[in-house]
Amino acid sequence: MEVVNTARVRQRLLNGSEFSEDEGMSEGEEDTWVFPLVQMKPLGIQVDEQVTQRLLTDAGPDSTVFLTSGYFNLTRAYMRLVLGAGASYRILTASPEVNGFFGAQGVAGAIPAAYIHIARQFYNQVCRLGQQERVHLHEYHRSQWTFHAKGLWYYLQGQDRPCLTLIGSPNFGYRSVHRDLEAQIAIVTENEELQSQLQEEQEMLYQRSTEVSDSTFEQPDRHVKLWVKLVTPLIKNFF
């Protein structure tokens, strides 16, 4: 926060000096803005959480949000905003075979099953609320790879390229918000070339995905043992 505050003061000083007029861009030339976001809730730093909540809150009808998380475990606040907002959502998460804990020994080997259980609970809630046309859940597939992509792309109504993206470490889950130190940047741009590059990155991920449906959870590899279902609510706040 000291770094962020120092940069803010420096920027204000430059904006009021002749240097900014002579050396910097003149007013109206800027087409891209970069905002640093930091999260460390135990120390009272909630910048990333506040910006993410504001973004999910203000995402208007007919806009589209692409959100990826290697470990899909939305906080209650984020889930409430996703399910209650007007924007369309395309959420991409790991299929069991590309989960980082797939094939792990001991109790850790059950972690992919816990994420299956969490994803199914979310999908069932989407269906109960009749939001299937607005909120879509996707799974990433790629043989011999693990999926740990994190990010968000925001498309305004009627636009075919994103104008905003989040790049950084948060998974949008409880641990990211409440326990860990997280850092990311928000990029807001009107630059069409940069928007196209952001779109290519997003499309590259989603091209290797399939959309989740009722039949997804009927597959044999999606069976979740009873003890995993019982334990998951107790430990989900730790991952």
Side-chain angles (χ1 to χ4, degrees), residues 19-75:
F19 172 81
S20 66
E21 297 177 359
D22 295 338
E23 302 292 337
M25 288 184 172
S26 62
E27 185 176 356
E29 288 185 11
E30 302 91 345
D31 63 10
T32 302
W33 296 263
V34 180
F35 302 92
L37 308 175
V38 187
Q39 182 76 11
M40 188 58 182
K41 201 161 188 175
L43 300 182
I45 300 171
Q46 301 173 243
V47 180
D48 184 71
E49 178 187 6
Q50 291 167 349
V51 170
T52 302
Q53 285 190 355
R54 181 64 180 269
L55 175 61
L56 298 180
T57 300
D58 291 349
D62 298 321
S63 62
T64 303
V65 176
F66 288 82
L67 185 152
T68 67
S69 175
Y71 301 107
F72 181 66
N73 182 24
L74 293 180
T75 65

Short mmCIF file of all heavy atoms in Angstrom, two decimals, residues 19-75:
data_model
loop_
_atom_site.label_atom_id
_atom_site.label_comp_id
_atom_site.label_asym_id
_atom_site.label_seq_id
_atom_site.Cartn_x
_atom_site.Cartn_y
_atom_site.Cartn_z
N PHE A 19 5.99 19.25 -16.63
CA PHE A 19 6.53 18.01 -17.21
C PHE A 19 5.43 17.19 -17.84
O PHE A 19 5.58 16.66 -18.94
CB PHE A 19 7.23 17.21 -16.12
CG PHE A 19 7.66 15.84 -16.57
CD1 PHE A 19 8.83 15.66 -17.28
CD2 PHE A 19 6.87 14.72 -16.28
CE1 PHE A 19 9.22 14.40 -17.69
CE2 PHE A 19 7.25 13.47 -16.70
CZ PHE A 19 8.44 13.30 -17.41
N SER A 20 4.30 17.08 -17.16
CA SER A 20 3.22 16.24 -17.69
C SER A 20 2.66 16.83 -18.97
O SER A 20 2.22 16.11 -19.85
CB SER A 20 2.11 16.09 -16.65
OG SER A 20 1.48 17.32 -16.41
N GLU A 21 2.72 18.18 -19.11
CA GLU A 21 2.19 18.81 -20.31
C GLU A 21 3.17 18.69 -21.48
O GLU A 21 2.77 18.51 -22.62
CB GLU A 21 1.89 20.28 -20.03
CG GLU A 21 0.81 20.47 -18.98
CD GLU A 21 0.58 21.94 -18.67
OE1 GLU A 21 1.28 22.79 -19.25
OE2 GLU A 21 -0.29 22.21 -17.84
N ASP A 22 4.48 18.77 -21.15
CA ASP A 22 5.48 18.76 -22.21
C ASP A 22 5.86 17.34 -22.64
O ASP A 22 6.02 17.07 -23.83
CB ASP A 22 6.75 19.49 -21.74
CG ASP A 22 6.47 20.96 -21.49
OD1 ASP A 22 5.48 21.48 -22.06
OD2 ASP A 22 7.22 21.58 -20.72
N GLU A 23 6.02 16.44 -21.66
CA GLU A 23 6.55 15.12 -21.94
C GLU A 23 5.46 14.05 -22.06
O GLU A 23 5.62 13.06 -22.75
CB GLU A 23 7.53 14.70 -20.82
CG GLU A 23 8.70 15.66 -20.64
CD GLU A 23 9.66 15.63 -21.81
OE1 GLU A 23 9.67 14.62 -22.52
OE2 GLU A 23 10.39 16.61 -21.99
N GLY A 24 4.36 14.24 -21.35
CA GLY A 24 3.33 13.21 -21.34
C GLY A 24 2.33 13.40 -22.46
O GLY A 24 2.46 14.28 -23.30
N MET A 25 1.34 12.53 -22.45
CA MET A 25 0.28 12.64 -23.44
C MET A 25 -0.62 13.82 -23.12
O MET A 25 -0.86 14.12 -21.95
CB MET A 25 -0.57 11.36 -23.46
CG MET A 25 0.12 10.16 -24.07
SD MET A 25 -1.03 8.76 -24.15
CE MET A 25 -0.04 7.60 -25.09
N SER A 26 -1.11 14.47 -24.13
CA SER A 26 -2.08 15.53 -23.89
C SER A 26 -3.43 14.91 -23.57
O SER A 26 -3.68 13.73 -23.86
CB SER A 26 -2.20 16.42 -25.13
OG SER A 26 -2.65 15.66 -26.24
N GLU A 27 -4.28 15.72 -22.99
CA GLU A 27 -5.58 15.21 -22.55
C GLU A 27 -6.36 14.63 -23.73
O GLU A 27 -6.46 15.25 -24.79
CB GLU A 27 -6.37 16.34 -21.89
CG GLU A 27 -7.69 15.87 -21.30
CD GLU A 27 -8.41 16.98 -20.57
OE1 GLU A 27 -7.85 18.08 -20.45
OE2 GLU A 27 -9.54 16.73 -20.11
N GLY A 28 -6.90 13.46 -23.56
CA GLY A 28 -7.69 12.83 -24.60
C GLY A 28 -6.93 11.80 -25.41
O GLY A 28 -7.53 11.05 -26.16
N GLU A 29 -5.58 11.76 -25.29
CA GLU A 29 -4.79 10.81 -26.07
C GLU A 29 -4.72 9.44 -25.41
O GLU A 29 -4.48 8.44 -26.08
CB GLU A 29 -3.37 11.34 -26.29
CG GLU A 29 -3.30 12.49 -27.28
CD GLU A 29 -1.86 12.90 -27.56
OE1 GLU A 29 -0.95 12.16 -27.15
OE2 GLU A 29 -1.65 13.95 -28.18
N GLU A 30 -4.90 9.39 -24.11
CA GLU A 30 -4.77 8.11 -23.42
C GLU A 30 -5.88 7.16 -23.87
O GLU A 30 -7.04 7.54 -24.00
CB GLU A 30 -4.87 8.30 -21.90
CG GLU A 30 -3.83 9.24 -21.31
CD GLU A 30 -4.30 10.68 -21.25
OE1 GLU A 30 -5.31 11.00 -21.92
OE2 GLU A 30 -3.67 11.47 -20.54
N ASP A 31 -5.51 5.91 -24.10
CA ASP A 31 -6.51 4.92 -24.49
C ASP A 31 -6.49 3.68 -23.60
O ASP A 31 -7.31 2.79 -23.77
CB ASP A 31 -6.36 4.52 -25.96
CG ASP A 31 -5.02 3.84 -26.25
OD1 ASP A 31 -4.28 3.51 -25.30
OD2 ASP A 31 -4.71 3.65 -27.45
N THR A 32 -5.56 3.62 -22.65
CA THR A 32 -5.44 2.45 -21.78
C THR A 32 -5.06 2.89 -20.37
O THR A 32 -4.19 3.75 -20.20
CB THR A 32 -4.38 1.47 -22.33
OG1 THR A 32 -4.74 1.07 -23.65
CG2 THR A 32 -4.28 0.23 -21.45
N TRP A 33 -5.72 2.28 -19.40
CA TRP A 33 -5.44 2.57 -18.00
C TRP A 33 -5.15 1.27 -17.26
O TRP A 33 -5.81 0.25 -17.50
CB TRP A 33 -6.66 3.25 -17.34
CG TRP A 33 -6.98 4.59 -17.94
CD1 TRP A 33 -6.61 5.81 -17.49
CD2 TRP A 33 -7.75 4.82 -19.13
NE1 TRP A 33 -7.09 6.79 -18.33
CE2 TRP A 33 -7.79 6.23 -19.34
CE3 TRP A 33 -8.39 3.98 -20.05
CZ2 TRP A 33 -8.46 6.81 -20.42
CZ3 TRP A 33 -9.06 4.55 -21.14
CH2 TRP A 33 -9.09 5.94 -21.31
N VAL A 34 -4.15 1.30 -16.39
CA VAL A 34 -3.74 0.11 -15.63
C VAL A 34 -3.85 0.44 -14.14
O VAL A 34 -3.26 1.42 -13.67
CB VAL A 34 -2.30 -0.30 -15.98
CG1 VAL A 34 -1.89 -1.54 -15.18
CG2 VAL A 34 -2.16 -0.56 -17.47
N PHE A 35 -4.61 -0.39 -13.42
CA PHE A 35 -4.84 -0.17 -12.00
C PHE A 35 -4.29 -1.34 -11.19
O PHE A 35 -4.72 -2.48 -11.41
CB PHE A 35 -6.35 -0.03 -11.71
CG PHE A 35 -7.03 1.07 -12.47
CD1 PHE A 35 -7.63 0.81 -13.70
CD2 PHE A 35 -7.07 2.35 -11.97
CE1 PHE A 35 -8.26 1.82 -14.41
CE2 PHE A 35 -7.71 3.38 -12.67
CZ PHE A 35 -8.30 3.11 -13.90
N PRO A 36 -3.36 -1.11 -10.28
CA PRO A 36 -2.88 -2.20 -9.42
C PRO A 36 -3.88 -2.52 -8.32
O PRO A 36 -4.46 -1.61 -7.70
CB PRO A 36 -1.58 -1.63 -8.83
CG PRO A 36 -1.80 -0.14 -8.82
CD PRO A 36 -2.67 0.16 -10.01
N LEU A 37 -4.13 -3.80 -8.09
CA LEU A 37 -5.08 -4.26 -7.08
C LEU A 37 -4.38 -5.22 -6.13
O LEU A 37 -3.74 -6.17 -6.57
CB LEU A 37 -6.27 -4.96 -7.75
CG LEU A 37 -6.97 -4.21 -8.88
CD1 LEU A 37 -8.05 -5.08 -9.51
CD2 LEU A 37 -7.57 -2.91 -8.36
N VAL A 38 -4.54 -4.98 -4.83
CA VAL A 38 -3.88 -5.80 -3.82
C VAL A 38 -4.92 -6.29 -2.83
O VAL A 38 -5.89 -5.59 -2.53
CB VAL A 38 -2.78 -4.99 -3.08
CG1 VAL A 38 -1.98 -5.89 -2.14
CG2 VAL A 38 -1.86 -4.30 -4.07
N GLN A 39 -4.73 -7.49 -2.31
CA GLN A 39 -5.65 -8.06 -1.33
C GLN A 39 -4.86 -8.75 -0.21
O GLN A 39 -4.02 -9.61 -0.47
CB GLN A 39 -6.59 -9.08 -1.99
CG GLN A 39 -7.63 -9.70 -1.08
CD GLN A 39 -8.80 -8.75 -0.77
OE1 GLN A 39 -8.92 -7.70 -1.40
NE2 GLN A 39 -9.64 -9.12 0.16
N MET A 40 -5.10 -8.34 1.01
CA MET A 40 -4.56 -9.03 2.19
C MET A 40 -5.49 -8.71 3.35
O MET A 40 -5.21 -7.87 4.20
CB MET A 40 -3.13 -8.59 2.51
CG MET A 40 -2.47 -9.42 3.59
SD MET A 40 -2.41 -11.18 3.20
CE MET A 40 -1.65 -11.85 4.67
N LYS A 41 -6.65 -9.38 3.36
CA LYS A 41 -7.72 -9.02 4.27
C LYS A 41 -7.33 -9.09 5.74
O LYS A 41 -7.78 -8.25 6.54
CB LYS A 41 -8.95 -9.91 4.01
CG LYS A 41 -10.25 -9.30 4.53
CD LYS A 41 -11.45 -9.93 3.89
CE LYS A 41 -12.72 -9.20 4.25
NZ LYS A 41 -13.90 -9.73 3.53
N PRO A 42 -6.49 -10.06 6.17
CA PRO A 42 -6.09 -10.05 7.59
C PRO A 42 -5.39 -8.76 8.01
O PRO A 42 -5.37 -8.43 9.20
CB PRO A 42 -5.14 -11.25 7.68
CG PRO A 42 -5.60 -12.18 6.61
CD PRO A 42 -6.02 -11.28 5.48
N LEU A 43 -4.82 -8.02 7.05
CA LEU A 43 -4.17 -6.75 7.35
C LEU A 43 -5.04 -5.55 6.97
O LEU A 43 -4.58 -4.42 6.97
CB LEU A 43 -2.82 -6.66 6.62
CG LEU A 43 -1.80 -7.74 6.97
CD1 LEU A 43 -0.51 -7.51 6.21
CD2 LEU A 43 -1.54 -7.78 8.47
N GLY A 44 -6.31 -5.84 6.63
CA GLY A 44 -7.23 -4.76 6.33
C GLY A 44 -7.11 -4.19 4.93
O GLY A 44 -7.65 -3.12 4.65
N ILE A 45 -6.41 -4.89 4.03
CA ILE A 45 -6.24 -4.43 2.65
C ILE A 45 -7.22 -5.20 1.78
O ILE A 45 -7.10 -6.41 1.62
CB ILE A 45 -4.80 -4.64 2.17
CG1 ILE A 45 -3.82 -3.88 3.06
CG2 ILE A 45 -4.65 -4.20 0.71
CD1 ILE A 45 -2.37 -4.18 2.80
N GLN A 46 -8.21 -4.51 1.20
CA GLN A 46 -9.29 -5.16 0.46
C GLN A 46 -9.52 -4.52 -0.91
O GLN A 46 -10.63 -4.56 -1.43
CB GLN A 46 -10.59 -5.11 1.27
CG GLN A 46 -10.52 -5.78 2.63
CD GLN A 46 -11.78 -5.54 3.45
OE1 GLN A 46 -11.75 -4.93 4.51
NE2 GLN A 46 -12.91 -6.02 2.93
N VAL A 47 -8.47 -3.96 -1.48
CA VAL A 47 -8.63 -3.24 -2.75
C VAL A 47 -9.17 -4.15 -3.84
O VAL A 47 -10.12 -3.81 -4.55
CB VAL A 47 -7.28 -2.62 -3.18
CG1 VAL A 47 -7.45 -1.86 -4.51
CG2 VAL A 47 -6.73 -1.71 -2.10
N ASP A 48 -8.57 -5.34 -4.00
CA ASP A 48 -8.98 -6.24 -5.06
C ASP A 48 -10.42 -6.71 -4.87
O ASP A 48 -11.20 -6.75 -5.83
CB ASP A 48 -8.04 -7.46 -5.11
CG ASP A 48 -8.37 -8.39 -6.26
OD1 ASP A 48 -8.11 -8.01 -7.41
OD2 ASP A 48 -8.89 -9.49 -6.01
N GLU A 49 -10.77 -7.05 -3.65
CA GLU A 49 -12.14 -7.49 -3.36
C GLU A 49 -13.15 -6.40 -3.67
O GLU A 49 -14.20 -6.66 -4.29
CB GLU A 49 -12.24 -7.90 -1.89
CG GLU A 49 -13.62 -8.32 -1.45
CD GLU A 49 -13.70 -8.57 0.05
OE1 GLU A 49 -12.70 -8.29 0.76
OE2 GLU A 49 -14.75 -9.02 0.52
N GLN A 50 -12.84 -5.17 -3.28
CA GLN A 50 -13.77 -4.06 -3.50
C GLN A 50 -13.96 -3.79 -4.98
O GLN A 50 -15.09 -3.57 -5.44
CB GLN A 50 -13.24 -2.82 -2.78
CG GLN A 50 -13.28 -2.93 -1.26
CD GLN A 50 -12.49 -1.84 -0.57
OE1 GLN A 50 -11.73 -1.10 -1.20
NE2 GLN A 50 -12.63 -1.75 0.75
N VAL A 51 -12.88 -3.81 -5.74
CA VAL A 51 -12.98 -3.55 -7.18
C VAL A 51 -13.72 -4.69 -7.88
O VAL A 51 -14.58 -4.44 -8.75
CB VAL A 51 -11.57 -3.36 -7.79
CG1 VAL A 51 -11.65 -3.33 -9.31
CG2 VAL A 51 -10.94 -2.09 -7.26
N THR A 52 -13.42 -5.93 -7.50
CA THR A 52 -14.10 -7.07 -8.12
C THR A 52 -15.59 -7.04 -7.83
O THR A 52 -16.42 -7.27 -8.73
CB THR A 52 -13.49 -8.40 -7.63
OG1 THR A 52 -12.09 -8.42 -7.93
CG2 THR A 52 -14.15 -9.59 -8.31
N GLN A 53 -15.96 -6.77 -6.59
CA GLN A 53 -17.38 -6.69 -6.25
C GLN A 53 -18.06 -5.57 -7.01
O GLN A 53 -19.19 -5.74 -7.49
CB GLN A 53 -17.54 -6.48 -4.74
CG GLN A 53 -17.27 -7.72 -3.92
CD GLN A 53 -17.69 -7.54 -2.46
OE1 GLN A 53 -18.09 -6.46 -2.05
NE2 GLN A 53 -17.57 -8.59 -1.68
N ARG A 54 -17.41 -4.43 -7.13
CA ARG A 54 -18.00 -3.30 -7.85
C ARG A 54 -18.19 -3.66 -9.33
O ARG A 54 -19.22 -3.33 -9.94
CB ARG A 54 -17.11 -2.06 -7.72
CG ARG A 54 -17.65 -0.82 -8.42
CD ARG A 54 -18.98 -0.36 -7.81
NE ARG A 54 -19.47 0.82 -8.48
CZ ARG A 54 -19.20 2.08 -8.10
NH1 ARG A 54 -18.41 2.28 -7.05
NH2 ARG A 54 -19.70 3.10 -8.74
N LEU A 55 -17.19 -4.35 -9.89
CA LEU A 55 -17.29 -4.75 -11.29
C LEU A 55 -18.45 -5.72 -11.51
O LEU A 55 -19.24 -5.55 -12.44
CB LEU A 55 -15.98 -5.41 -11.73
CG LEU A 55 -15.95 -6.00 -13.14
CD1 LEU A 55 -16.21 -4.92 -14.17
CD2 LEU A 55 -14.61 -6.68 -13.39
N LEU A 56 -18.56 -6.72 -10.63
CA LEU A 56 -19.65 -7.69 -10.77
C LEU A 56 -21.01 -7.04 -10.52
O LEU A 56 -22.01 -7.43 -11.12
CB LEU A 56 -19.44 -8.85 -9.80
CG LEU A 56 -18.17 -9.69 -10.00
CD1 LEU A 56 -18.11 -10.82 -8.97
CD2 LEU A 56 -18.10 -10.25 -11.41
N THR A 57 -21.05 -6.05 -9.65
CA THR A 57 -22.29 -5.35 -9.34
C THR A 57 -22.75 -4.49 -10.52
O THR A 57 -23.94 -4.45 -10.86
CB THR A 57 -22.12 -4.46 -8.09
OG1 THR A 57 -21.77 -5.27 -6.97
CG2 THR A 57 -23.41 -3.71 -7.78
N ASP A 58 -21.79 -3.80 -11.15
CA ASP A 58 -22.13 -2.84 -12.20
C ASP A 58 -22.18 -3.44 -13.59
O ASP A 58 -22.52 -2.73 -14.55
CB ASP A 58 -21.11 -1.69 -12.19
CG ASP A 58 -21.25 -0.81 -10.95
OD1 ASP A 58 -22.25 -0.98 -10.23
OD2 ASP A 58 -20.36 0.03 -10.70
N ALA A 59 -21.84 -4.72 -13.72
CA ALA A 59 -21.91 -5.37 -15.04
C ALA A 59 -23.38 -5.38 -15.49
O ALA A 59 -24.20 -6.10 -14.93
CB ALA A 59 -21.35 -6.78 -14.96
N GLY A 60 -23.67 -4.59 -16.48
CA GLY A 60 -25.06 -4.36 -16.84
C GLY A 60 -25.67 -5.43 -17.72
O GLY A 60 -24.97 -6.32 -18.23
N PRO A 61 -26.98 -5.37 -17.90
CA PRO A 61 -27.67 -6.31 -18.79
C PRO A 61 -27.08 -6.25 -20.20
O PRO A 61 -26.68 -5.19 -20.68
CB PRO A 61 -29.12 -5.81 -18.78
CG PRO A 61 -29.24 -5.04 -17.51
CD PRO A 61 -27.90 -4.41 -17.28
N ASP A 62 -27.00 -7.41 -20.83
CA ASP A 62 -26.49 -7.55 -22.20
C ASP A 62 -24.97 -7.40 -22.29
O ASP A 62 -24.42 -7.49 -23.39
CB ASP A 62 -27.16 -6.56 -23.16
CG ASP A 62 -28.66 -6.78 -23.26
OD1 ASP A 62 -29.08 -7.95 -23.26
OD2 ASP A 62 -29.41 -5.79 -23.32
N SER A 63 -24.29 -7.15 -21.17
CA SER A 63 -22.83 -7.25 -21.18
C SER A 63 -22.45 -8.69 -20.85
O SER A 63 -23.29 -9.47 -20.40
CB SER A 63 -22.21 -6.28 -20.17
OG SER A 63 -22.63 -6.61 -18.84
N THR A 64 -21.21 -9.06 -21.11
CA THR A 64 -20.78 -10.43 -20.91
C THR A 64 -19.48 -10.46 -20.12
O THR A 64 -18.55 -9.69 -20.41
CB THR A 64 -20.57 -11.16 -22.26
OG1 THR A 64 -21.77 -11.10 -23.01
CG2 THR A 64 -20.19 -12.63 -22.03
N VAL A 65 -19.42 -11.36 -19.14
CA VAL A 65 -18.22 -11.54 -18.32
C VAL A 65 -17.70 -12.96 -18.52
O VAL A 65 -18.42 -13.93 -18.29
CB VAL A 65 -18.52 -11.30 -16.82
CG1 VAL A 65 -17.28 -11.58 -15.97
CG2 VAL A 65 -19.01 -9.87 -16.60
N PHE A 66 -16.46 -13.07 -18.96
CA PHE A 66 -15.76 -14.36 -19.01
C PHE A 66 -14.85 -14.43 -17.79
O PHE A 66 -14.01 -13.55 -17.60
CB PHE A 66 -14.94 -14.49 -20.29
CG PHE A 66 -15.76 -14.68 -21.53
CD1 PHE A 66 -16.34 -13.59 -22.18
CD2 PHE A 66 -15.95 -15.95 -22.07
CE1 PHE A 66 -17.10 -13.76 -23.33
CE2 PHE A 66 -16.71 -16.13 -23.22
CZ PHE A 66 -17.28 -15.04 -23.84
N LEU A 67 -15.03 -15.45 -16.97
CA LEU A 67 -14.28 -15.58 -15.72
C LEU A 67 -13.66 -16.96 -15.66
O LEU A 67 -14.36 -17.96 -15.86
CB LEU A 67 -15.21 -15.33 -14.52
CG LEU A 67 -14.61 -15.30 -13.12
CD1 LEU A 67 -15.45 -14.40 -12.22
CD2 LEU A 67 -14.54 -16.70 -12.51
N THR A 68 -12.35 -17.03 -15.40
CA THR A 68 -11.68 -18.32 -15.29
C THR A 68 -11.06 -18.49 -13.91
O THR A 68 -10.55 -17.53 -13.33
CB THR A 68 -10.58 -18.48 -16.35
OG1 THR A 68 -9.51 -17.56 -16.07
CG2 THR A 68 -11.11 -18.23 -17.74
N SER A 69 -11.11 -19.71 -13.41
CA SER A 69 -10.51 -20.03 -12.11
C SER A 69 -10.10 -21.49 -12.11
O SER A 69 -10.93 -22.37 -12.37
CB SER A 69 -11.50 -19.75 -10.97
OG SER A 69 -10.96 -20.17 -9.73
N GLY A 70 -8.84 -21.74 -11.85
CA GLY A 70 -8.36 -23.12 -11.80
C GLY A 70 -8.99 -23.91 -10.67
O GLY A 70 -9.12 -25.14 -10.76
N TYR A 71 -9.37 -23.20 -9.61
CA TYR A 71 -10.00 -23.83 -8.45
C TYR A 71 -11.30 -23.09 -8.16
O TYR A 71 -11.31 -22.10 -7.42
CB TYR A 71 -9.05 -23.83 -7.24
CG TYR A 71 -7.76 -24.55 -7.52
CD1 TYR A 71 -6.56 -23.85 -7.69
CD2 TYR A 71 -7.72 -25.93 -7.62
CE1 TYR A 71 -5.37 -24.53 -7.97
CE2 TYR A 71 -6.54 -26.61 -7.89
CZ TYR A 71 -5.38 -25.90 -8.06
OH TYR A 71 -4.21 -26.57 -8.34
N PHE A 72 -12.38 -23.56 -8.76
CA PHE A 72 -13.65 -22.84 -8.71
C PHE A 72 -14.32 -23.00 -7.35
O PHE A 72 -14.78 -24.09 -6.99
CB PHE A 72 -14.58 -23.36 -9.81
CG PHE A 72 -15.90 -22.66 -9.85
CD1 PHE A 72 -16.00 -21.32 -10.19
CD2 PHE A 72 -17.07 -23.34 -9.54
CE1 PHE A 72 -17.21 -20.67 -10.22
CE2 PHE A 72 -18.29 -22.71 -9.58
CZ PHE A 72 -18.37 -21.37 -9.92
N ASN A 73 -14.34 -21.91 -6.59
CA ASN A 73 -14.89 -21.93 -5.24
C ASN A 73 -15.28 -20.50 -4.87
O ASN A 73 -14.70 -19.90 -3.97
CB ASN A 73 -13.86 -22.50 -4.26
CG ASN A 73 -14.38 -22.60 -2.84
OD1 ASN A 73 -15.59 -22.67 -2.62
ND2 ASN A 73 -13.48 -22.59 -1.87
N LEU A 74 -16.25 -19.94 -5.58
CA LEU A 74 -16.63 -18.55 -5.38
C LEU A 74 -17.05 -18.28 -3.94
O LEU A 74 -17.69 -19.13 -3.30
CB LEU A 74 -17.79 -18.17 -6.31
CG LEU A 74 -17.54 -18.15 -7.81
CD1 LEU A 74 -18.82 -17.74 -8.54
CD2 LEU A 74 -16.41 -17.21 -8.18
N THR A 75 -16.70 -17.09 -3.45
CA THR A 75 -17.21 -16.68 -2.15
C THR A 75 -18.72 -16.48 -2.25
O THR A 75 -19.27 -16.32 -3.34
CB THR A 75 -16.57 -15.37 -1.69
OG1 THR A 75 -16.96 -14.32 -2.58
CG2 THR A 75 -15.04 -15.48 -1.67
#
